[in-house]
Amino acid sequence: MTPAIRVHGLVKDYGRTRALHGVDLEVRAGEVFGFLGPNGSGKSTTIRVLMDLLRPTAGSVEIFGTAPAAGGPGLRARIGYLPGELSFPARMSAGEYLAYLAALRGGRGRRRTGELAERLSLDLSRPLRALSKGNKQKVGLVQAFMHDPELLVLDEPTSGLDPLLQREFLLLAREAGARGATVFLSSHMLQEVEEVAGRVAIIREGRVVDLDDVRALRARAGQQVLLRFAEPVPLAEFADLPGVQDAALDPSDGTTLSCLLRGDPMPLLTAAVRHRVVRWQAEDRELEDLFLDFYRRPFPSTAPAPPAPSDRPAPGSAATRPGGVR
Ligand code: ADP
């Protein structure tokens, strides 16, 4: 089956700045796909190439098997696009603008406008220029969803929405997925992506550093393990065990070992029982922790290039705070 979106070796330069370093992605028809990464990682650039608002420096993109530049209005009609930066004609009301868009689409979407505006608490009579950022975002969402497109390409859709409306948006995205539409959702918020998406690509500095099923990603997040021993233990017995990462002993008396465990627990257990264990504690890590790993640590070995130390966010910086990575 032809994928809804195919991105192959996509490179994009803005003058001398390379924003995308060879992005590869395939979004299957009918899936809700999350495109997750902090601000500046290349999400909007990828999306703008998909929408033919930018042309690739190298590589290629296809939507439903067609290059966006060759697809014309026929292809555009199958897509609902919410840009990251919205700009509207100043003189129209929200309702007039949406009616105008519906007319451009041959009347498609007129029927759903009122229902969507109501669900998002959008006052259609207000002039667009008088709308707050959040209300403009609602207009953007209505125009993206109103014609029930086969593909929704949504760039940071909940930006500026309060939590109640974020929930309503997630419901809309889920409904679109349930009726068979493909949803490509970019976000820096893990939580919202995790709630709706089946698969997720994680982008960092213009490269996709991971792409997997949300469930598989969660399983890979592993467990945080704490082991307390009756006597001090040598760190070297644990540090290089298969599946064990970040092993550390408490500096006070060396009897408490903490580590991250991924995969088979047997090597760690076998090493532990050579000593007298007085406490064992293992907690499942959240997907959030795995996501933050990509920003706290060097790239995993599969990644194309290690980051310079200055690229890593400092502990406690916005990029290491829960809830979002900016
Ligand atoms: P995201 O959508 O993930 O926030 P962007 O795709 O907007 O990321 O940006 C990726 C990189 O490209 C960033 O380093 C950004 O500063 C740079 N960039 C984006 N747009 C432009 C532009 N119009 N001119 C120059 N650099 C840009």
Side-chain angles (χ1 to χ4, degrees):
M1 193 171 175
T2 313
I5 293 177
R6 194 168 161 272
V7 177
H8 182 65
L10 181 62
V11 174
K12 178 66 197 173
D13 293 338
Y14 292 107
R16 291 166 66 181
T17 310
R18 179 148 291 186
L20 301 178
H21 296 256
V23 169
D24 292 302
L25 273 182
E26 214 168 272
V27 179
R28 300 170 193 144
E31 76 175 324
V32 179
F33 190 97
F35 194 36
L36 196 60
N39 282 352
S41 54
K43 303 183 297 298
S44 293
T45 302
T46 307
I47 287 178
R48 293 173 71 206
V49 174
L50 285 171
M51 298 311 299
D52 197 32
L53 300 170
L54 290 174
R55 293 280 159 89
T57 302
S60 62
V61 304
E62 282 173 12
I63 293 186
F64 299 127
T66 304
L75 183 62
R76 280 306 300 263
R78 299 167 71 184
I79 306 171
Y81 169 49
L82 173 74
E85 305 275 328
L86 291 162
S87 66
F88 297 123
R91 290 177 187 282
M92 289 184 182
S93 72
E96 285 164 350
Y97 176 62
L98 292 166
Y100 163 73
L101 288 182
L104 284 183
R105 289 166 173 158
R108 278 176 66 217
R110 188 171 290 134
R111 198 179 46 82
R112 276 206 83 190
T113 307
E115 174 221 324
L116 287 167
E118 198 163 312
R119 286 180 64 175
L120 294 167
S121 312
L122 170 67
D123 180 354
L124 290 173
S125 65
R126 303 268 309 276
L128 288 164
R129 75 182 126 72
L131 296 182
S132 65
K133 181 172 186 304
N135 278 312
K136 284 189 175 137
Q137 190 72 0
K138 294 177 195 174
V139 177
L141 283 170
V142 174
Q143 64 79 29
F145 278 86
M146 64 196 251
H147 53 306
D148 289 332
E150 270 172 80
L151 171 64
L152 280 149
V153 178
L154 308 170
D155 195 350
E156 298 271 355
T158 61
S159 132
L161 297 185
D162 65 40
L164 214 62
L165 290 167
Q166 285 180 18
R167 293 238 68 79
E168 195 59 41
F169 161 75
L170 291 175
L171 214 60
L172 283 171
R174 227 175 270 135
E175 286 169 15
R179 72 170 164 77
T182 308
V183 183
F184 186 70
L185 163 71
S186 102
S187 177
H188 66 276
M189 303 290 292
L190 172 71
Q191 212 184 341
E192 69 182 22
V193 167
E194 197 180 356
E195 276 192 43
V196 287
R199 290 195 308 149
V200 176
I202 297 178
I203 183 168
R204 172 181 168 169
E205 292 164 17
R207 294 179 174 90
V208 172
V209 293
D210 207 341
L211 194 160
D212 211 338
D213 213 78
V214 171
R215 239 174 295 156
L217 278 173
R218 199 179 284 127
R220 269 168 40 205
Q223 291 186 312
Q224 190 64 46
V225 173
L226 205 94
L227 276 160
R228 195 145 69 228
F229 299 95
E231 305 289 337
V233 293
L235 183 61
E237 286 184 22
F238 300 93
D240 298 323
L241 293 173
V244 171
Q245 284 178 13
D246 296 348
L249 283 171
D250 68 297
S252 56
D253 62 358
T255 59
T256 306
L257 176 87
S258 68
C259 66
L260 174 60
L261 175 63
R262 284 194 172 121
D264 185 3
M266 280 312 285
L268 175 62
L269 287 169
T270 310
V273 296
R274 291 195 195 108
H275 305 271
R276 200 157 82 78
V277 179
V278 293
R279 186 175 157 81
W280 161 272
Q281 182 185 317
E283 271 177 29
D284 284 337
R285 292 168 84 233
E286 297 294 319
L287 186 50
E288 174 93 38
D289 298 310
L290 180 74
F291 180 44
L292 293 177
D293 284 350
F294 286 110
Y295 303 101
R296 284 198 192 114
R297 296 171 192 206
F299 275 113
S301 54
T302 51
S310 60
D311 294 339
R312 286 177 218 156
S317 72
T320 61
R321 259 181 246 133
V325 174
R326 286 197 165 268

